[in-house]
Amino acid sequence: MLIKLPKSSDCNESDVTPESVYFSRRSVLGASLAGFALGALPVLGQAAEASRYADVEAGSTPGWFKDKLGATRWQAVTVKDEAITPFKDATHYNNFYEFGPDKGDPAANAGSLKTEPWSVVVHGEVGKPGRYALEDFVKPLQLEERIYRLRCVEAWSMVIPWLGFPLSEVLKQVEPTSKARYVRFETLQDPKSMPGQRSGFALIDWPYVEGLRLDEAMNPLAILAVGMYGRELPNQNGAPLRLVVPWKYGFKSIKSIVRISLVAEQPKTTWQGLAPNEYGFYANVNPQVDHPRWSQARERRLPSGLFNPNVRTTQMFNGYEEEVASLYSGLDLRKNY
Ligand SMILES: Nc1nc2c(c(=O)[nH]1)N[C@H]1C(S)=C(S)[C@@H](COP(=O)(O)O)O[C@H]1N2
Ligand SMILES: [Mo]
């Protein structure tokens, strides 16, 4: 599969001090990245690549992940001239309400999540339904590094180097039937290991549910991630398997997935169900359509502090307009927020 790296993915703003991490990567790959096609990318050694992420804590690295990591296609998609968010921020400023409502709760509490063994049920309008052990689920897939902006609906953002594979590859393998029009995802429900599910936080009707239209799910930018920063996913970031949809607000990128269903009707999703006037099914990043309680025109890019809030302009579709705008031609994005 060949994905072109469109120019609009690149951000040319130079108002952010690049992290040392970012510079060392650039010096490895040099200028040869400009305008490349995926297939032309050099495959670098695992050690060289992983060492770029100097501030990353070692994980437990399950065996199936180690096997995959060696053949990773590094930098399959990247953002130009934007610093990668430090690992510490990406793993200590989280939304994962199953582990509590505050940004620090997931890092403090997600250690109780047991991610091995893990299985994923694929069912509904598919030719090949089944329950797959995670290691079997990932076996036919090649890991790719995708460096994406993540824009939360709360108006903060990060740049995260994910490791994952295109969702389309998984969907093709399970053979959606002609009735399949949407994909529905479900997070693990386990009040024993997820304290937020015991307290019934914010009236969420667990499990957390998200969904995409099938054509959105087939877009090459939509991935299922199993890692970040050259290692497996930390629990607080949605281990062992999460969705990443970079042109949509972060709440679409559902964590710790146990069920993927191909369905005919638009799924009822968690945040839309909680506050339908504030959170829509589409949730495309759109600086022109404000949240009822705050503007979406700008965002705080982490790390962001009192003296340097690091504010930047929010881009249409989070900077992925060229790749995804055609999915929404003829759709009123004000009504379908
Ligand atoms: N299961 C589940 N998935 C979730 C959430 C959640 O609370 N539960 N929060 C979402 C929100 S609001 C955001 S912004 C992202 C945050 O991902 P990160 O913590 O890895 O940055 O995860 C999303 N996925
Ligand atoms: Mo979010």
Side-chain angles (χ1 to χ4, degrees), residues 61-130:
T61 319
W64 62 264
F65 186 82
K66 244 180 252 165
D67 297 344
K68 291 267 126 197
L69 197 58
T72 295
R73 195 182 279 152
W74 297 96
Q75 304 245 333
V77 178
T78 190
V79 288
K80 234 175 91 195
D81 299 334
E82 284 179 74
I84 287 173
T85 302
F87 181 76
K88 185 82 181 170
D89 294 284
T91 54
H92 289 78
Y93 190 93
N94 301 101
N95 278 333
F96 199 170
Y97 292 103
E98 284 85 339
F99 295 102
D102 295 332
K103 295 287 181 283
D105 288 344
N109 301 329
S112 56
L113 178 67
K114 194 168 168 263
T115 58
E116 266 191 295
W118 193 272
S119 59
V120 183
V121 171
V122 182
H123 81 139
E125 295 294 342
V126 287
K128 290 182 180 166

Side-chain angles (χ1 to χ4, degrees), residues 25-43:
R25 176 168 30 81
R26 295 291 295 176
S27 60
V28 171
L29 292 178
S32 64
L33 278 177
F36 67 93
L38 227 184
L41 258 186
V43 177

Side-chain angles (χ1 to χ4, degrees), residues 4-11 77-80 82 146-151 158-160 162 219-222 244-248 284-285 299 301 314-328:
K4 282 204 207 82
L5 182 73
K7 285 189 199 71
S8 73
S9 292
D10 302 342
C11 180
V77 178
T78 190
V79 288
K80 234 175 91 195
E82 284 179 74
R146 300 282 186 101
I147 304 174
Y148 284 159
R149 298 177 200 90
L150 172 79
R151 170 53 159 89
M158 306 194 194
V159 174
I160 300 186
W162 303 106
N219 184 280
L221 286 180
V244 181
V245 195
W247 70 94
K248 292 179 180 284
N284 292 315
V285 175
E299 63 199 54
R301 173 65 54 84
T314 292
Q315 302 179 71
M316 188 64 199
F317 296 112
N318 205 22
Y320 302 99
E321 184 166 16
E322 201 170 301
E323 296 93 328
V324 302
S326 64
L327 291 168
Y328 310 105

Side-chain angles (χ1 to χ4, degrees), residues 127-186:
K128 290 182 180 166
R131 175 185 288 272
Y132 300 85
L134 186 62
E135 48 274 35
D136 297 332
F137 189 76
V138 300
K139 203 169 275 168
L141 305 163
Q142 186 186 12
L143 272 194
E144 297 178 15
E145 186 179 48
R146 300 282 186 101
I147 304 174
Y148 284 159
R149 298 177 200 90
L150 172 79
R151 170 53 159 89
C152 176
V153 74
E154 298 163 338
W156 52 265
S157 66
M158 306 194 194
V159 174
I160 300 186
W162 303 106
L163 290 166
F165 32 81
L167 174 58
S168 63
E169 297 288 314
V170 173
L171 295 177
K172 275 182 221 149
Q173 276 169 32
V174 298
E175 298 172 5
T177 71
S178 58
K179 285 191 196 137
R181 290 186 53 223
Y182 294 88
V183 191
R184 180 183 181 279
F185 302 87
E186 221 177 88

Side-chain angles (χ1 to χ4, degrees), residues 151-320:
R151 170 53 159 89
C152 176
V153 74
E154 298 163 338
W156 52 265
S157 66
M158 306 194 194
V159 174
I160 300 186
W162 303 106
L163 290 166
F165 32 81
L167 174 58
S168 63
E169 297 288 314
V170 173
L171 295 177
K172 275 182 221 149
Q173 276 169 32
V174 298
E175 298 172 5
T177 71
S178 58
K179 285 191 196 137
R181 290 186 53 223
Y182 294 88
V183 191
R184 180 183 181 279
F185 302 87
E186 221 177 88
T187 295
L188 176 71
Q189 182 162 28
D190 181 25
K192 268 198 223 99
S193 67
M194 295 175 145
Q197 292 183 341
R198 294 201 293 274
S199 67
F201 163 75
L203 316 167
I204 288 181
D205 189 11
W206 309 107
Y208 194 103
V209 171
E210 259 310 330
L212 296 170
R213 242 171 37 194
L214 185 56
D215 59 336
E216 296 180 306
M218 295 300 286
N219 184 280
L221 286 180
I223 60 166
L224 286 171
V226 293
M228 60 194 258
Y229 296 81
R231 48 157 283 169
E232 79 280 6
L233 282 176
N235 285 1
Q236 62 264 41
N237 294 91
L241 182 74
R242 71 168 299 168
L243 184 67
V244 181
V245 195
W247 70 94
K248 292 179 180 284
Y249 290 122
F251 68 83
K252 299 296 288 184
S253 292
I254 179 173
K255 296 174 169 182
S256 304
I257 296 167
V258 292
R259 185 180 284 267
I260 301 175
S261 314
L262 279 286
V263 294
E265 306 292 332
Q266 184 174 304
K268 292 187 174 65
T269 55
T270 294
W271 285 102
Q272 191 187 21
L274 273 173
N277 58 323
E278 300 190 7
Y279 309 104
F281 176 80
Y282 282 96
N284 292 315
V285 175
N286 188 338
Q288 285 143 37
V289 177
D290 287 340
H291 185 280
R293 292 184 280 131
W294 58 83
S295 165
Q296 295 292 25
R298 277 175 287 282
E299 63 199 54
R300 268 186 316 118
R301 173 65 54 84
L302 268 71
S304 154
L306 210 52
F307 299 107
N308 180 12
N310 205 8
V311 171
R312 52 167 61 220
T313 308
T314 292
Q315 302 179 71
M316 188 64 199
F317 296 112
N318 205 22
Y320 302 99

